[in-house]
Amino acid sequence: LKEKTEDLKRERQIAEDLLHQMLPKSVAKQLRKCQKVEAENYDQVTIFFSDIVGFTSIAASCTPLQVVEMLNNLYICFDSRIESYDVYKVETIGDAYMVVSGLPERNGTKHADEIAKMSLDLVAAVRQVVIPHMPKGKLQLRAGIHTGPCVAGVVGYKMPRYCLFGDTVNTASRMESTSLPQKIHISSATYDALLTDNAYEIEPRGEIEVKGKGKMKTYWLLGNKNYSVQN
């Protein structure tokens, strides 16, 4: 009976660990208790989007297995690194990687700083990712960040997803799509949030035309004076 109980505990822990990799712990706890997860409004969060430059053409020259292997190597690298920061990985969509800070657990005014440090780390890390079928090839990341309010909640019954909604999500995505290879493109709102401790090297990009937003004044995030990325 003791052995059966220990086996049951181990299996339950494995199931819980898997659930916590797919949903925030606070959300998973409510779902396990069959409670309704209420959508929540957040006044300020910072959202990061990235994608791989030229991924469509890279994928076109690969077998399906090679594409999966390449993305798996990339996401294992990213997933292991973001654990060092107070961030939550929302999802991956193809070669796109979406991360947020400031929810589901609020962290005051730290969210922009956490995402900024993380993004510098990921842009450096992507150059170290090995492409098994392209040993001489190097992946390049295009990243974008925006800060603002959003709503978060669980959507769906089968394979429930923890999703973010609002204009902040759209603008963060636009920052990424208008970025350049190995560059971190940030909005004015994120720039203002990062000015508080004067630790970042930031360069003005000027005004650019952003689809659905008109002209926006944006910036390039270049580095942090007090922080170097992990090896």
Side-chain angles (χ1 to χ4, degrees):
L1 185 62
K2 188 178 179 182
E3 285 179 9
K4 291 287 184 185
T5 304
E6 289 301 318
D7 288 344
L8 186 61
K9 279 183 181 177
R10 276 195 295 273
E11 291 299 324
R12 184 178 292 167
Q13 190 60 53
I14 290 169
E16 282 190 11
D17 290 345
L18 183 60
L19 187 60
H20 293 160
Q21 287 171 14
M22 299 168 69
L23 292 165
K25 285 186 179 181
S26 56
V27 172
K29 188 177 179 181
Q30 292 177 68
L31 287 175
R32 280 204 314 274
K33 292 179 178 178
C34 298
Q35 295 175 351
K36 184 181 177 183
V37 181
E38 296 290 343
E40 201 164 347
N41 188 62
Y42 294 86
D43 294 333
Q44 284 284 294
V45 301
T46 298
I47 298 173
F48 166 95
F49 275 97
S50 71
D51 76 345
I52 299 301
V53 178
F55 177 76
T56 304
S57 57
I58 293 171
S61 64
C62 305
T63 67
L65 187 61
Q66 287 172 334
V67 173
V68 171
E69 190 176 19
M70 176 176 64
L71 287 179
N72 193 45
N73 286 348
L74 177 69
Y75 292 152
I76 286 173
C77 171
F78 282 10
D79 290 349
S80 63
R81 284 173 175 267
I82 69 172
E83 287 181 358
S84 303
Y85 308 96
D86 183 12
V87 300
Y88 174 71
K89 174 184 167 184
V90 182
E91 62 182 340
T92 57
I93 311 160
D95 64 315
Y97 196 79
M98 180 184 181
V99 184
V100 64
S101 182
L103 66 78
E105 305 300 330
R106 291 173 173 82
N107 56 5
T109 57
K110 285 172 53 184
H111 46 86
D113 181 51
E114 292 293 320
I115 287 288
K117 286 189 292 190
M118 180 209 74
S119 63
L120 290 166
D121 195 350
L122 297 190
V123 166
V126 72
R127 304 309 299 270
Q128 300 170 23
V129 177
V130 176
I131 313 172
H133 59 283
M134 293 170 60
K136 293 183 180 178
K138 290 290 182 186
L139 296 177
Q140 289 185 302
L141 204 67
R142 180 169 43 216
I145 305 173
H146 180 55
T147 301
C150 87
V151 170
V154 174
V155 173
Y157 171 66
K158 289 188 180 292
M159 291 184 66
R161 303 287 294 277
Y162 186 69
C163 298
L164 311 188
F165 305 95
D167 191 57
T168 300
V169 179
N170 299 332
T171 305
S173 179
R174 293 278 184 256
M175 290 299 100
E176 177 268 315
S177 62
T178 53
S179 186
L180 295 174
Q182 290 301 104
K183 290 276 197 178
I184 304 166
H185 190 205
I186 68 173
S187 66
S188 294
T190 302
Y191 170 74
D192 292 340
L194 293 176
L195 280 182
T196 52
D197 56 4
N198 195 33
Y200 287 93
E201 297 170 32
I202 298 172
E203 180 182 276
R205 184 181 188 179
E207 281 195 343
I208 63 162
E209 188 70 33
V210 178
K211 185 180 177 182
K213 308 295 294 182
K215 287 194 178 294
M216 288 184 70
K217 189 176 182 182
T218 62
Y219 301 81
W220 298 119
L221 174 62
L222 305 178
N224 185 305
K225 302 166 191 171
N226 309 320
Y227 176 82
S228 59
V229 299
Q230 304 170 40
N231 292 324

